Amino acid sequence: MPKQIAIYGKGGIGKSSTASNVAAACADEGYRVTIIGCDPKSDSSITLLRGRRIPTIMDLMREGIDIREEDIVFNGYKGVKCVEIGGPEPGIGCAGRGIIVAISLLKKISSAIEDTDLVIYDVPGDIVCGGFVAPVKKGLVNEAYVLTSGEYMPLYAANNICKGLARLEMTLNGVICNSRGALNEEKIVSEFSKEIGSQLLAFIPKDVLVQTCERDGFSVIENAPDSEIAAVYRKLAKSIMGKRDGKIPVPLDDKRLRELTRI
Amino acid sequence: MPVKKEKEPLIMHPRPSSIVAALYTLRDLDTDVVILHGPPGCSFKHARLLEEDGMRVVTTSLDESGFVFGGHDALVEVLEKVIERFNPRRIGIVGTCASMIIGEELHEAVTQVQPDVPVIEVEVHAGYRDNTKGVVMALESALACGIISEAEFERQKALLKEATMVEKRHGAASKEYLEPNRGDLKYKVAGRLLELIKQGKKGLNILNAKKETAFMFADINLAVAEVAQKLNAGHNIVNMVNLDDNVGLPKNRRNAQEIKGDLKEKGFKIHHTIGGLDEYPVAGNTAERIISEKYKDYDFAVISGVPHALPMDNIKNMELFSITNGPRQVVPLKEMGHTHVVVEIDLHPKTLGVSHIVESEFGATLRELAKDA
Ligand SMILES: Nc1ncnc2c1ncn2[C@@H]1O[C@H](COP(=O)(O)OP(=O)(O)O)[C@@H](O)[C@H]1O
Ligand SMILES: [Mg+2]
């Protein structure tokens, strides 16, 4: 069975860039990787496809296409299989139902989520309804990671996600700090990780390279392989691929959370 | 290049629901209690009717707050109560539009409660174009629970595919809109049928009915045979029925036996068995083959049940007397070339919870008219 992971965290915190860089780093190591973009924004795989936007499952469904594997699964950097679920126009219909339908379609017509070594579900920041946890509920995710910076609001979101995971009896396999340059950031996130019963896996520095590569349609791994930050992503990828058991997280109360970020 | 699906034409009249189809399938699988996970009124009429067949249907009664906050706890509670109250040997859980849209996982409740009897979970809603989807989903789940065999599953799936095709060709899915129609006057049609029998014309008397509806449709074929016998024309009538009791799910086999028992007792002779009670989409083809070999020159045919599943090739020159229970089936049957079309209104509800043939209006009319003949 492949490693099936989901990366959670506040919107805009860096889930998609982390996911695509980890995917690229794992592909470099020779792993077969699949990335499933579950955000209606459908921006998870763009940097693995040299800036190309692939048709989403929802786009094709809307057009009444008889969807086959080759219409929705695209080979990106070093053979990383890229799928974007997409969604309805903002404010119309039901994006959550879209994810449920797309996931069961994908299971039916493609081996991309089974015949592989790593599947990354890149989910939106806000798990606004039942549909957005469909991959977890359908048993397609066996490891969860939380991405956060050391600031109060991203940590607040991370803590909320832990509440959700605990409710779903889902284990947390590690915390990743994506730095926004806050004071004492690594220490804060490391302490947070410990207190919720997990551990800090990586500290990704804030680096404009991420954004410049992204603008040109590349991951850092592909376009700046010798950069410092590429090495950080590689280390994180190794750590994710290594065997590690997760634990159901114990969320903190808000008072403690505020204290923590005051350090 | 992505290939566009051929756009299915719009159909506006209401049609059978896949949720209800799943419920009936669970009944055929001898399920004791089914939990409908959704709002209290969903599928009410059929849920109630199915209780006539001994199955219990309960609901998790999701309300506005259930839609917003999820219905997991309600499902757990109802599942626990069902086990305690009914002590069932087999449980079904069926989805509804509301619970499926909000992403309810039926299996989570089952995992939590851990009943020690099989639970058939059907994550179905009513938004499928063909209601047979609900049957397939229920059977898939029954297969996963080991309640039916792979072979039976494949057999059913092939039949359902045919059933869907039958409806597309000449049935409820054949037109954008079908006007409901009460059909021809039973009195007149019965009169004409008697006339032909009296004239010594040769006739086919075909039962091709769907599952339990045969309890009433068989009464029509029985009446035809009785009346012919009375008029000393029994030898002119050939009876064909889809009452093979060696195929299908347990209930369908039982029902075929019960109906055959009644027919035998009344002296009805089965000349040809054209299939089982769940084979109505294909039994017509068997009938067609037999007709082309032996009865091509017959003058008339009485077809009760699903007359539109009979190919027209060898019967188009006969005077056709067709009896359906669908008011929306009248127009398509007339267009196919069926001369007389009679509707047994509200037939289905009267065939639930019975184990003997039930009197039909057309059969009664025919018998009554024959008294004066
Ligand atoms: N370590 C980093 N250094 C600098 N910019 C980053 C870093 N990580 C992410 N970003 C930028 O932040 C923005 C939001 O990231 P994104 O991955 O889209 O977030 P999410 O998927 O969590 O909504 C992007 O423009 C991305 O390039
Ligand atoms: Mg994203």
Side-chain angles (χ1 to χ4, degrees):
Chain A
M1 187 150 96
K3 202 179 246 299
Q4 304 160 312
I5 75 170
I7 301 178
Y8 296 101
K10 182 175 157 49
I13 198 65
K15 295 179 296 297
S16 297
S17 31
T18 306
S20 51
N21 276 294
V22 166
C26 288
D28 272 353
E29 290 296 303
Y31 291 112
R32 296 168 305 162
V33 182
T34 300
I35 184 160
I36 315 280
C38 301
D39 193 319
K41 289 201 303 285
S42 63
D43 60 353
S44 305
S45 58
I46 202 160
T47 56
L48 294 164
L49 291 153
R50 312 205 148 180
R52 175 173 169 221
R53 281 197 172 272
I54 56 174
T56 70
I57 298 182
M58 289 299 118
D59 285 342
L60 299 184
M61 217 171 108
R62 187 169 24 225
E63 287 163 33
I65 303 290
D66 188 10
I67 302 175
R68 297 157 308 173
E69 183 174 30
E70 61 263 37
D71 302 327
I72 52 166
V73 182
F74 294 85
N75 280 327
Y77 175 73
K78 291 203 177 164
V80 174
K81 292 205 174 347
C82 305
V83 178
E84 291 285 354
I85 289 180
E89 301 276 324
I92 301 175
C94 181
R97 180 69 201 165
I99 295 182
I100 298 172
V101 172
I103 291 285
S104 58
L105 176 87
L106 194 60
K107 249 169 61 171
K108 205 159 76 192
I109 65 167
S110 168
S111 57
I113 52 175
E114 278 148 27
D115 212 0
T116 186
D117 301 313
L118 172 69
V119 187
I120 305 177
Y121 289 90
D122 181 27
V123 295
D126 298 301
I127 309 296
V128 288
C129 75
F132 289 85
V133 278
V136 175
K137 288 195 170 186
K138 303 268 176 215
L140 298 175
V141 172
N142 48 28
E143 292 185 11
Y145 295 84
V146 168
L147 190 71
T148 180
S149 71
E151 298 153 303
Y152 171 68
M153 283 316 285
L155 274 170
Y156 176 81
N159 194 52
N160 264 341
I161 288 157
C162 291
K163 278 184 198 162
L165 292 173
R167 199 174 321 116
L168 290 168
E169 293 187 29
M170 178 81 195
T171 59
L172 176 65
N173 292 72
V175 178
I176 304 160
C177 177
N178 198 27
S179 172
R180 303 249 288 191
L183 219 57
N184 269 334
E185 208 164 16
E186 188 164 3
K187 206 170 141 226
I188 292 169
V189 179
S190 169
E191 182 58 28
F192 170 77
S193 309
K194 250 186 257 149
E195 290 187 22
I196 60 169
S198 189
Q199 57 181 314
L200 181 63
L201 289 186
F203 177 81
I204 306 169
K206 182 178 178 180
D207 188 336
V208 72
L209 255 180
V210 177
Q211 282 154 45
T212 51
C213 290
E214 174 187 79
R215 194 183 46 229
D216 297 340
F218 293 100
S219 65
V220 173
I221 298 289
E222 182 171 10
N223 228 20
D226 301 322
S227 60
E228 238 172 85
I229 189 160
V232 176
Y233 284 127
R234 270 195 212 100
K235 201 171 142 232
L236 172 60
K238 236 184 220 121
S239 151
I240 287 176
M241 289 315 287
K243 211 172 144 56
R244 187 179 338 93
D245 294 328
K247 258 207 228 138
I248 295 175
V250 187
L252 309 183
D253 61 28
D254 196 46
K255 189 167 151 266
R256 177 66 195 131
L257 212 54
R258 284 174 198 272
E259 255 169 40
L260 207 62
T261 43
R262 212 172 278 140
I263 296 178
Chain B
M1 265 303 281
V3 185
K4 268 213 172 168
K5 272 189 268 196
E6 211 178 306
K7 198 171 177 316
E8 302 256 27
L10 169 80
I11 299 173
M12 292 193 293
H13 50 267
R15 287 183 299 139
S17 144
S18 1
I19 299 170
V20 170
L23 288 176
Y24 276 99
T25 307
L26 290 173
R27 185 237 11 218
D28 290 348
L29 291 163
D30 290 337
T31 309
D32 299 309
V33 188
V34 174
I35 302 170
L36 265 172
H37 188 33
C42 182
S43 306
F44 162 71
K45 193 166 173 194
H46 285 280
R48 176 71 270 289
L49 276 175
L50 278 161
E51 293 186 315
E52 296 303 312
D53 268 344
M55 186 168 87
R56 286 290 165 266
V57 182
V58 298
T59 168
T60 53
S61 286
L62 290 191
D63 57 9
E64 201 76 90
S65 87
F67 300 159
V68 176
F69 303 111
H72 172 78
D73 294 346
L75 183 54
V76 167
E77 185 185 347
V78 173
L79 182 55
E80 281 169 344
K81 288 198 163 137
V82 157
I83 293 168
E84 201 182 293
R85 178 181 286 266
F86 301 103
N87 194 21
R89 281 157 307 144
R90 194 171 283 175
I91 303 171
I93 304 180
V94 174
T96 59
C97 296
S99 61
M100 293 299 99
I101 291 171
I102 64 170
E104 289 288 302
E105 285 294 321
L106 306 180
H107 191 64
E108 270 177 21
V110 179
T111 316
Q112 187 172 330
V113 176
Q114 302 253 337
D116 45 21
V117 293
V119 180
I120 309 176
E121 301 155 26
V122 194
E123 293 198 344
V124 66
H125 54 66
Y128 298 103
R129 191 177 174 89
D130 305 311
N131 73 319
T132 46
K133 179 82 182 173
V135 184
V136 175
M137 291 171 97
L139 291 170
E140 268 168 3
S141 184
L143 175 67
C145 297
I147 288 167
I148 57 168
S149 68
E150 184 82 43
E152 181 61 28
F153 175 71
E154 289 303 330
R155 177 182 168 275
Q156 295 278 346
K157 225 167 79 173
L159 286 172
L160 291 163
K161 212 170 135 195
E162 283 305 314
T164 308
M165 287 313 297
V166 165
E167 289 318 302
K168 279 196 177 138
R169 276 197 298 265
H170 300 295
S174 63
K175 277 207 166 50
E176 179 179 279
Y177 183 73
L178 284 168
E179 193 67 44
N181 187 307
R182 291 247 156 181
D184 299 322
L185 268 183
K186 293 191 178 73
Y187 173 78
K188 283 199 169 164
V189 177
R192 173 66 187 156
L193 182 54
L194 268 181
E195 210 174 289
L196 292 176
I197 296 174
K198 263 193 267 179
Q199 287 168 7
K201 302 279 188 204
K202 289 177 182 256
L204 301 171
N205 188 20
I206 305 171
L207 170 73
N208 184 38
K210 178 178 177 181
K211 302 189 176 177
E212 66 268 14
T213 65
F215 276 116
M216 188 180 281
F217 281 122
D219 179 62
I220 291 158
N221 302 94
L222 180 59
V224 172
E226 283 171 356
V227 165
Q229 196 65 42
K230 191 170 167 226
L231 298 173
N232 293 320
H235 56 282
N236 286 332
I237 306 294
V238 169
N239 300 321
M240 302 185 187
V241 297
N242 68 322
L243 292 173
D244 185 349
D245 54 14
N246 291 312
V247 292
L249 300 178
K251 177 178 192 312
N252 306 142
R253 294 179 190 222
R254 268 196 315 269
N255 292 167
Q257 263 169 14
E258 288 157 353
I259 296 169
K260 272 208 295 201
D262 282 1
L263 289 175
K264 212 173 190 175
E265 201 175 287
K266 299 251 161 73
F268 181 97
K269 187 166 183 308
I270 296 174
H271 298 104
H272 301 281
T273 296
I274 55 174
L277 279 176
D278 58 2
E279 292 183 327
Y280 61 95
V282 296
N285 302 336
T286 311
E288 155 89 356
R289 219 188 44 242
I290 300 171
I291 295 166
S292 79
E293 282 166 13
K294 295 183 152 174
Y295 309 114
K296 257 197 188 135
D297 58 335
Y298 269 49
D299 304 299
F300 69 91
V302 176
I303 314 166
S304 66
V306 190
H308 56 290
L310 238 84
M312 288 299 284
D313 304 345
N314 287 301
I315 55 172
K316 59 174 179 285
N317 294 325
M318 302 178 192
E319 189 165 338
L320 299 180
F321 296 79
S322 298
I323 302 90
T324 171
N325 61 332
R328 288 207 149 88
Q329 198 53 58
V330 176
V331 173
L333 280 169
K334 289 274 181 183
E335 282 177 2
M336 283 173 82
H338 292 245
T339 337
H340 313 280
V341 180
V342 168
V343 181
E344 287 287 343
I345 284 287
D346 249 0
L347 173 144
H348 193 197
K350 296 172 195 151
T351 60
L352 285 138
V354 302
S355 54
H356 287 289
I357 290 180
V358 180
E359 185 181 65
S360 62
E361 271 189 23
F362 188 62
T365 310
L366 200 60
R367 289 183 183 104
E368 191 61 34
L369 283 180
K371 277 185 189 163
D372 316 324

